[in-house]
Amino acid sequence: EVQLVESGGDLVPPGGSLRLSCAASGFTFDGYAMSWVRQAPGKGLEWVSAINWNGGSTYYAESMKGRFTISRDNAKNTLYLQMNSLKSDDTAVYYCAKARRATVATSVPEYDSWGQGTQVTVSS
């Protein structure tokens, strides 16, 4: 059974930093692309970032470029999202997701497993 468990969400002030983690189990982690997707209150899903199977290719939504960094440690079966210069607009539940393939994917149908999410709140 595929399991994705996010952690690291917290309340931080504007300009602060957080690192999210996603512990994966139940599948061959280094065989699949992974993503971070978020959902703000009252809004739909927004793709944050994606990474291919070996970390050699990444995707970032425009508003996250230069502030967020996605990475993975295949030896630890863990996906990360380093978030810097956080803004109030970054407040959301952040989900990690497993793709159906090894290469970067950025649409919901291309993903078959999702975590429960971790809350990130950016507020003073």
Side-chain angles (χ1 to χ4, degrees), residues 23-98:
S25 62
F27 66 102
T28 304
F29 185 68
D30 62 4
Y32 297 91
M34 300 289 293
S35 274
W36 288 99
V37 182
R38 71 185 185 186
Q39 187 167 29
K43 296 187 178 180
L45 289 175
E46 178 184 21
W47 229 270
V48 174
S49 185
I51 190 167
N52 76 332
W53 69 278
N54 67 354
S57 179
T58 58
Y59 160 87
Y60 295 95
E62 193 63 36
S63 63
M64 287 72 166
K65 288 181 181 178
R67 300 190 299 126
F68 291 8
T69 303
I70 191 171
S71 62
R72 63 190 296 161
D73 185 337
N74 286 345
K76 295 182 178 180
N77 289 355
T78 304
L79 176 72
Y80 302 100
L81 183 69
Q82 178 67 43
M83 305 187 293
N84 299 327
S85 303
L86 284 163
K87 309 173 183 178
S88 57
D89 288 349
D90 294 318
T91 295
V93 177
Y94 285 70
Y95 300 92
C96 75
K98 169 191 166 292

Coordinates of all heavy atoms in Angstrom, one line a residue, residues 23-98:
A23 N 7.5 11.5 3.7 CA 8.0 10.2 3.8 C 7.2 9.2 3.0 O 5.9 9.1 3.2 CB 8.0 9.8 5.3
A24 N 7.8 8.5 2.1 CA 7.1 7.6 1.2 C 7.4 6.1 1.5 O 8.5 5.8 1.9 CB 7.5 7.9 -0.3
S25 N 6.4 5.3 1.3 CA 6.5 3.9 1.5 C 5.5 3.1 0.7 O 4.5 3.7 0.2 CB 6.4 3.5 3.0 OG 5.1 3.8 3.5
G26 N 5.8 1.8 0.5 CA 4.8 1.0 -0.2 C 5.0 0.9 -1.7 O 4.2 0.3 -2.4
F27 N 6.1 1.6 -2.2 CA 6.4 1.5 -3.6 C 7.9 1.8 -3.8 O 8.5 2.3 -2.9 CB 5.5 2.5 -4.4 CG 5.8 4.0 -4.1 CD1 6.5 4.8 -5.0 CD2 5.3 4.6 -3.0 CE1 6.7 6.1 -4.7 CE2 5.5 5.9 -2.7 CZ 6.2 6.7 -3.6
T28 N 8.3 1.6 -5.1 CA 9.7 1.9 -5.4 C 9.9 3.4 -5.6 O 9.7 3.9 -6.7 CB 10.2 1.1 -6.6 OG1 9.9 -0.3 -6.4 CG2 11.7 1.2 -6.9
F29 N 10.3 4.0 -4.6 CA 10.3 5.5 -4.6 C 11.1 6.1 -5.8 O 10.7 7.0 -6.4 CB 10.9 6.0 -3.3 CG 10.9 7.5 -3.1 CD1 9.7 8.2 -3.0 CD2 12.1 8.2 -3.1 CE1 9.7 9.6 -2.8 CE2 12.1 9.6 -2.9 CZ 10.9 10.3 -2.8
D30 N 12.3 5.5 -6.1 CA 13.1 6.1 -7.1 C 12.7 5.7 -8.5 O 13.4 6.0 -9.5 CB 14.6 5.7 -6.9 CG 14.9 4.2 -7.0 OD1 13.9 3.5 -7.3 OD2 16.0 3.8 -6.7
G31 N 11.5 5.1 -8.6 CA 11.0 4.8 -9.9 C 9.9 5.8 -10.4 O 9.4 5.7 -11.5
Y32 N 9.6 6.8 -9.6 CA 8.5 7.7 -9.9 C 8.8 9.2 -9.6 O 9.5 9.5 -8.7 CB 7.3 7.3 -9.1 CG 6.8 5.9 -9.4 CD1 7.3 4.9 -8.7 CD2 5.9 5.7 -10.4 CE1 6.9 3.6 -9.0 CE2 5.5 4.4 -10.7 CZ 6.0 3.4 -10.0 OH 5.6 2.1 -10.3
A33 N 8.2 10.0 -10.5 CA 8.3 11.5 -10.2 C 7.4 11.8 -9.0 O 6.4 11.0 -8.7 CB 7.8 12.2 -11.5
M34 N 7.6 12.9 -8.4 CA 6.8 13.3 -7.3 C 6.6 14.8 -7.4 O 7.2 15.6 -8.1 CB 7.6 13.1 -6.0 CG 8.0 11.7 -5.7 SD 6.6 10.6 -5.2 CE 6.1 11.3 -3.7
S35 N 5.6 15.3 -6.7 CA 5.2 16.7 -6.7 C 4.7 17.2 -5.3 O 4.4 16.4 -4.5 CB 4.0 16.9 -7.7 OG 4.5 17.1 -9.0
W36 N 4.8 18.5 -5.2 CA 4.1 19.2 -4.1 C 3.0 20.0 -4.8 O 3.2 20.7 -5.8 CB 5.0 20.1 -3.4 CG 6.0 19.4 -2.5 CD1 7.3 19.1 -2.8 CD2 5.8 18.9 -1.2 NE1 7.9 18.5 -1.8 CE2 7.0 18.3 -0.8 CE3 4.7 18.9 -0.4 CZ2 7.1 17.7 0.5 CZ3 4.8 18.3 0.9 CH2 6.1 17.7 1.3
V37 N 1.8 19.9 -4.2 CA 0.6 20.6 -4.7 C 0.0 21.3 -3.4 O 0.0 20.7 -2.3 CB -0.4 19.7 -5.3 CG1 -1.6 20.4 -5.9 CG2 0.3 18.9 -6.5
R38 N -0.6 22.5 -3.6 CA -1.2 23.1 -2.4 C -2.6 23.5 -2.7 O -3.0 23.7 -3.9 CB -0.4 24.3 -2.0 CG -0.4 25.5 -2.9 CD 0.6 26.6 -2.5 NE 0.4 27.8 -3.3 CZ 1.3 28.9 -3.1 NH1 2.2 28.8 -2.2 NH2 1.1 29.9 -3.9
Q39 N -3.3 23.7 -1.6 CA -4.7 24.2 -1.7 C -4.9 25.2 -0.6 O -4.9 24.9 0.6 CB -5.7 23.1 -1.6 CG -7.2 23.5 -1.8 CD -8.1 22.4 -2.0 OE1 -7.9 21.3 -1.5 NE2 -9.1 22.6 -2.8
A40 N -5.2 26.5 -1.1 CA -5.4 27.6 -0.1 C -6.9 27.5 0.2 O -7.7 27.0 -0.5 CB -5.1 28.9 -0.8
P41 N -7.3 28.1 1.4 CA -8.7 28.2 1.8 C -9.6 28.7 0.7 O -9.4 29.8 0.2 CB -8.7 29.1 3.0 CG -7.3 29.0 3.5 CD -6.4 28.8 2.3
G42 N -10.6 28.0 0.3 CA -11.6 28.4 -0.6 C -11.1 28.4 -2.1 O -11.8 28.9 -3.0
K43 N -9.9 27.8 -2.3 CA -9.4 27.8 -3.7 C -9.1 26.4 -4.1 O -9.2 25.4 -3.4 CB -8.1 28.6 -3.7 CG -8.3 30.1 -3.4 CD -7.0 30.9 -3.7 CE -7.2 32.4 -3.4 NZ -6.0 33.2 -3.7
G44 N -8.9 26.2 -5.4 CA -8.6 24.9 -6.0 C -7.1 24.5 -5.8 O -6.3 25.2 -5.2
L45 N -6.8 23.3 -6.3 CA -5.4 22.8 -6.2 C -4.5 23.7 -7.1 O -4.9 24.1 -8.2 CB -5.4 21.4 -6.7 CG -6.0 20.3 -5.8 CD1 -5.9 19.0 -6.4 CD2 -5.3 20.3 -4.4
E46 N -3.3 23.9 -6.6 CA -2.3 24.7 -7.3 C -1.0 23.9 -7.3 O -0.5 23.5 -6.2 CB -2.1 26.1 -6.7 CG -1.0 26.9 -7.4 CD -0.8 28.2 -6.7 OE1 -1.1 28.4 -5.5 OE2 -0.2 29.1 -7.3
W47 N -0.5 23.7 -8.5 CA 0.8 22.9 -8.6 C 1.9 23.8 -8.1 O 2.0 25.0 -8.5 CB 1.1 22.5 -10.0 CG 1.5 21.1 -10.0 CD1 2.7 20.5 -9.9 CD2 0.5 20.0 -10.0 NE1 2.6 19.1 -9.9 CE2 1.3 18.8 -10.0 CE3 -0.9 19.9 -10.1 CZ2 0.7 17.5 -10.0 CZ3 -1.4 18.6 -10.2 CH2 -0.7 17.5 -10.1
V48 N 2.7 23.3 -7.1 CA 3.8 24.1 -6.6 C 5.1 23.7 -7.3 O 5.8 24.6 -7.8 CB 3.9 23.8 -5.1 CG1 5.2 24.5 -4.5 CG2 2.7 24.3 -4.3
S49 N 5.4 22.4 -7.3 CA 6.7 22.0 -7.8 C 6.6 20.5 -8.1 O 5.9 19.8 -7.5 CB 7.8 22.3 -6.8 OG 9.1 22.0 -7.3
A50 N 7.5 20.0 -9.0 CA 7.5 18.6 -9.4 C 9.0 18.3 -9.6 O 9.8 19.1 -10.0 CB 6.7 18.3 -10.6
I51 N 9.3 17.0 -9.4 CA 10.7 16.5 -9.6 C 10.6 15.1 -10.2 O 9.8 14.3 -9.9 CB 11.4 16.5 -8.2 CG1 12.9 16.2 -8.4 CG2 10.8 15.5 -7.3 CD1 13.7 16.5 -7.1
N52 N 11.6 14.9 -11.1 CA 11.6 13.5 -11.8 C 12.2 12.5 -10.8 O 12.6 12.8 -9.7 CB 12.3 13.6 -13.1 CG 13.8 13.7 -13.0 OD1 14.3 14.2 -12.0 ND2 14.5 13.2 -14.0
W53 N 12.3 11.3 -11.3 CA 12.7 10.2 -10.5 C 14.0 10.3 -9.8 O 14.2 9.8 -8.7 CB 12.7 8.9 -11.3 CG 13.8 8.8 -12.3 CD1 13.8 9.4 -13.6 CD2 15.0 8.2 -12.2 NE1 15.0 9.2 -14.2 CE2 15.8 8.4 -13.4 CE3 15.6 7.4 -11.2 CZ2 17.0 7.9 -13.6 CZ3 16.9 6.9 -11.4 CH2 17.6 7.2 -12.6
N54 N 15.0 10.9 -10.5 CA 16.4 11.0 -9.9 C 16.7 12.4 -9.5 O 17.9 12.7 -9.1 CB 17.4 10.5 -10.8 CG 17.6 11.3 -12.1 OD1 16.8 12.3 -12.3 ND2 18.5 11.0 -12.9
G55 N 15.8 13.4 -9.5 CA 16.1 14.7 -9.1 C 16.7 15.6 -10.2 O 17.1 16.7 -9.9
G56 N 16.9 15.0 -11.3 CA 17.6 15.7 -12.4 C 16.8 16.7 -13.2 O 17.4 17.5 -13.9
S57 N 15.5 16.7 -13.0 CA 14.6 17.6 -13.7 C 13.6 18.1 -12.7 O 13.0 17.3 -12.0 CB 14.0 16.9 -14.9 OG 13.1 17.8 -15.5
T58 N 13.3 19.4 -12.7 CA 12.4 19.9 -11.8 C 11.5 20.9 -12.5 O 11.8 21.5 -13.5 CB 13.0 20.6 -10.6 OG1 13.9 21.7 -11.1 CG2 13.8 19.7 -9.7
Y59 N 10.3 21.2 -11.9 CA 9.4 22.2 -12.4 C 8.9 23.0 -11.2 O 8.7 22.5 -10.1 CB 8.2 21.5 -13.0 CG 6.9 22.4 -13.1 CD1 6.8 23.2 -14.2 CD2 6.0 22.4 -12.0 CE1 5.7 24.1 -14.2 CE2 4.9 23.3 -12.1 CZ 4.7 24.1 -13.2 OH 3.7 24.9 -13.2
Y60 N 8.8 24.3 -11.4 CA 8.2 25.2 -10.4 C 7.2 26.1 -11.0 O 7.3 26.6 -12.1 CB 9.3 26.1 -9.8 CG 10.4 25.4 -9.1 CD1 11.6 25.0 -9.7 CD2 10.2 25.1 -7.7 CE1 12.6 24.3 -9.0 CE2 11.2 24.4 -7.0 CZ 12.4 24.0 -7.7 OH 13.4 23.3 -7.0
A61 N 6.1 26.3 -10.3 CA 5.2 27.3 -10.7 C 5.8 28.7 -10.6 O 6.8 28.9 -9.8 CB 3.9 27.3 -9.8
E62 N 5.4 29.6 -11.5 CA 6.1 30.9 -11.6 C 6.3 31.6 -10.3 O 7.3 32.2 -10.0 CB 5.3 31.7 -12.6 CG 6.1 33.0 -13.1 CD 7.3 32.6 -13.9 OE1 7.4 31.6 -14.6 OE2 8.3 33.3 -13.7
S63 N 5.2 31.6 -9.5 CA 5.3 32.4 -8.3 C 6.2 31.8 -7.2 O 6.5 32.4 -6.2 CB 3.9 32.6 -7.7 OG 3.3 31.3 -7.3
M64 N 6.7 30.6 -7.4 CA 7.5 29.9 -6.5 C 9.0 29.9 -6.9 O 9.9 29.6 -6.1 CB 7.1 28.4 -6.3 CG 5.8 28.2 -5.5 SD 4.4 28.7 -6.5 CE 3.1 28.0 -5.6
K65 N 9.2 30.2 -8.2 CA 10.6 30.2 -8.7 C 11.5 31.2 -7.9 O 11.1 32.3 -7.6 CB 10.6 30.6 -10.1 CG 10.1 29.6 -11.1 CD 10.2 30.0 -12.5 CE 9.6 28.9 -13.4 NZ 9.6 29.4 -14.8
G66 N 12.6 30.7 -7.4 CA 13.6 31.5 -6.7 C 13.3 31.5 -5.2 O 14.2 31.9 -4.4
R67 N 12.2 31.0 -4.8 CA 11.9 31.0 -3.4 C 11.8 29.5 -2.8 O 12.1 29.3 -1.7 CB 10.5 31.7 -3.1 CG 10.5 33.1 -3.5 CD 9.2 33.8 -2.9 NE 8.0 33.2 -3.4 CZ 7.0 32.7 -2.6 NH1 7.1 32.8 -1.3 NH2 5.9 32.2 -3.2
F68 N 11.3 28.6 -3.7 CA 11.1 27.2 -3.2 C 12.1 26.3 -3.9 O 12.4 26.6 -5.1 CB 9.7 26.8 -3.6 CG 8.6 27.4 -2.8 CD1 8.8 28.5 -1.9 CD2 7.3 26.9 -2.9 CE1 7.8 29.0 -1.2 CE2 6.2 27.5 -2.2 CZ 6.5 28.5 -1.3
T69 N 12.5 25.3 -3.2 CA 13.4 24.3 -3.8 C 12.9 22.9 -3.5 O 12.7 22.6 -2.3 CB 14.8 24.4 -3.3 OG1 15.3 25.7 -3.6 CG2 15.7 23.4 -4.0
I70 N 12.6 22.1 -4.5 CA 12.2 20.7 -4.4 C 13.4 19.8 -4.5 O 14.3 20.1 -5.2 CB 11.1 20.3 -5.4 CG1 10.5 19.0 -5.0 CG2 11.7 20.3 -6.8 CD1 9.3 18.7 -5.9
S71 N 13.4 18.8 -3.7 CA 14.5 17.8 -3.7 C 14.0 16.5 -3.2 O 12.9 16.4 -2.7 CB 15.7 18.3 -2.9 OG 15.4 18.4 -1.5
R72 N 14.8 15.5 -3.4 CA 14.5 14.2 -3.0 C 15.7 13.4 -2.6 O 16.8 13.6 -3.1 CB 13.7 13.4 -4.1 CG 14.5 13.1 -5.3 CD 13.5 12.6 -6.4 NE 12.9 11.3 -6.1 CZ 11.8 10.8 -6.7 NH1 11.2 11.5 -7.6 NH2 11.4 9.6 -6.3
D73 N 15.5 12.5 -1.6 CA 16.6 11.6 -1.2 C 16.1 10.2 -1.4 O 15.3 9.7 -0.6 CB 16.9 11.9 0.3 CG 18.1 11.1 0.8 OD1 18.4 10.0 0.2 OD2 18.8 11.5 1.8
N74 N 16.5 9.6 -2.5 CA 16.0 8.3 -2.8 C 16.4 7.2 -1.8 O 15.8 6.2 -1.7 CB 16.3 7.9 -4.2 CG 15.5 8.7 -5.3 OD1 14.5 9.3 -4.9 ND2 16.0 8.7 -6.5
A75 N 17.6 7.5 -1.2 CA 18.0 6.5 -0.2 C 17.1 6.5 1.0 O 17.0 5.5 1.7 CB 19.5 6.8 0.2
K76 N 16.5 7.6 1.3 CA 15.6 7.8 2.5 C 14.2 7.7 2.1 O 13.3 7.9 3.0 CB 16.0 9.1 3.2 CG 17.4 9.1 3.8 CD 17.6 10.4 4.6 CE 19.0 10.4 5.2 NZ 19.2 11.7 6.0
N77 N 13.9 7.6 0.8 CA 12.5 7.5 0.4 C 11.7 8.8 0.8 O 10.6 8.7 1.3 CB 11.7 6.3 0.9 CG 12.2 5.0 0.2 OD1 13.0 5.1 -0.8 ND2 11.7 3.9 0.6
T78 N 12.4 9.9 0.7 CA 11.8 11.2 1.2 C 11.9 12.3 0.2 O 12.9 12.5 -0.5 CB 12.5 11.6 2.5 OG1 12.4 10.5 3.5 CG2 11.8 12.8 3.1
L79 N 10.8 13.0 0.1 CA 10.7 14.2 -0.8 C 10.7 15.4 0.1 O 10.1 15.4 1.2 CB 9.4 14.2 -1.5 CG 9.0 15.3 -2.4 CD1 9.9 15.3 -3.7 CD2 7.5 15.3 -2.8
Y80 N 11.3 16.5 -0.4 CA 11.4 17.7 0.4 C 10.9 18.9 -0.4 O 11.0 18.9 -1.6 CB 12.9 18.0 0.9 CG 13.5 16.9 1.7 CD1 14.3 16.0 1.1 CD2 13.2 16.7 3.0 CE1 14.9 14.9 1.8 CE2 13.8 15.7 3.8 CZ 14.7 14.8 3.1 OH 15.2 13.8 3.9
L81 N 10.5 20.0 0.4 CA 10.3 21.3 -0.2 C 10.8 22.3 0.7 O 10.3 22.5 1.8 CB 8.8 21.5 -0.5 CG 8.4 22.8 -1.2 CD1 8.9 22.8 -2.6 CD2 6.9 23.1 -1.2
Q82 N 11.9 23.0 0.3 CA 12.4 24.1 1.1 C 11.7 25.4 0.6 O 11.7 25.7 -0.6 CB 13.9 24.2 0.9 CG 14.6 25.4 1.6 CD 14.5 25.3 3.1 OE1 14.8 24.2 3.6 NE2 14.2 26.4 3.8
M83 N 11.1 26.1 1.5 CA 10.4 27.3 1.2 C 11.0 28.5 1.9 O 11.0 28.5 3.2 CB 8.9 27.1 1.6 CG 8.2 25.9 1.0 SD 6.4 25.8 1.3 CE 6.4 25.6 3.1
N84 N 11.4 29.4 1.2 CA 12.0 30.6 1.7 C 11.2 31.9 1.4 O 10.3 31.8 0.4 CB 13.4 30.8 1.2 CG 14.3 29.7 1.6 OD1 14.2 29.1 2.7 ND2 15.3 29.3 0.8
S85 N 11.4 33.0 2.0 CA 10.7 34.2 1.7 C 9.2 34.0 1.6 O 8.6 34.5 0.7 CB 11.3 34.8 0.4 OG 12.7 35.0 0.5
L86 N 8.7 33.4 2.6 CA 7.3 33.0 2.6 C 6.4 34.3 2.7 O 6.7 35.2 3.3 CB 6.9 32.1 3.7 CG 7.4 30.6 3.5 CD1 7.4 29.8 4.8 CD2 6.5 29.9 2.5
K87 N 5.3 34.2 2.0 CA 4.3 35.3 1.9 C 3.0 34.8 2.4 O 2.7 33.6 2.5 CB 4.1 35.7 0.5 CG 5.4 36.1 -0.3 CD 5.1 36.3 -1.7 CE 6.4 36.6 -2.5 NZ 6.1 36.8 -4.0
S88 N 2.1 35.7 2.8 CA 0.8 35.3 3.3 C 0.0 34.5 2.2 O -0.7 33.6 2.6 CB 0.0 36.5 3.7 OG -0.2 37.4 2.6
D89 N 0.3 34.8 0.9 CA -0.4 34.0 -0.1 C 0.1 32.6 -0.2 O -0.5 31.8 -0.9 CB -0.1 34.7 -1.5 CG -0.8 36.0 -1.7 OD1 -1.7 36.2 -0.9 OD2 -0.5 36.7 -2.6
D90 N 1.1 32.2 0.5 CA 1.6 30.8 0.5 C 0.8 30.0 1.6 O 1.0 28.8 1.7 CB 3.1 30.8 0.9 CG 4.0 31.4 -0.2 OD1 3.7 31.2 -1.4 OD2 4.9 32.1 0.1
T91 N 0.0 30.6 2.3 CA -0.8 29.9 3.3 C -1.7 28.9 2.6 O -2.5 29.3 1.7 CB -1.7 30.9 4.1 OG1 -0.8 31.7 4.9 CG2 -2.7 30.1 5.0
A92 N -1.6 27.6 3.0 CA -2.3 26.6 2.3 C -2.0 25.2 3.0 O -1.1 25.1 3.8 CB -1.9 26.5 0.8
V93 N -2.8 24.2 2.6 CA -2.4 22.9 2.9 C -1.6 22.4 1.8 O -1.9 22.5 0.6 CB -3.7 22.0 3.1 CG1 -3.2 20.5 3.3 CG2 -4.5 22.5 4.2
Y94 N -0.4 21.8 2.1 CA 0.5 21.3 1.1 C 0.5 19.8 1.1 O 0.6 19.1 2.1 CB 1.9 21.8 1.4 CG 2.1 23.3 1.1 CD1 1.5 24.3 1.8 CD2 2.9 23.6 0.0 CE1 1.7 25.6 1.5 CE2 3.1 25.0 -0.3 CZ 2.5 26.0 0.5 OH 2.6 27.3 0.1
Y95 N 0.3 19.3 -0.1 CA 0.2 17.8 -0.3 C 1.4 17.3 -1.2 O 1.8 18.0 -2.1 CB -1.1 17.5 -1.1 CG -2.3 17.9 -0.4 CD1 -2.9 19.1 -0.7 CD2 -3.0 17.0 0.5 CE1 -4.1 19.5 -0.1 CE2 -4.2 17.4 1.1 CZ -4.7 18.6 0.8 OH -5.9 18.9 1.4
C96 N 1.9 16.2 -0.8 CA 2.8 15.5 -1.8 C 2.1 14.5 -2.5 O 1.1 13.9 -2.0 CB 4.1 14.9 -1.1 SG 3.8 13.4 -0.2
A97 N 2.5 14.2 -3.7 CA 1.8 13.3 -4.6 C 2.8 12.4 -5.4 O 3.9 12.9 -5.8 CB 0.9 14.0 -5.6
K98 N 2.4 11.2 -5.7 CA 3.2 10.3 -6.5 C 2.7 10.2 -7.9 O 1.5 10.0 -8.1 CB 3.2 8.9 -5.8 CG 3.8 7.8 -6.7 CD 3.5 6.4 -6.2 CE 3.7 5.3 -7.2 NZ 2.8 5.4 -8.3

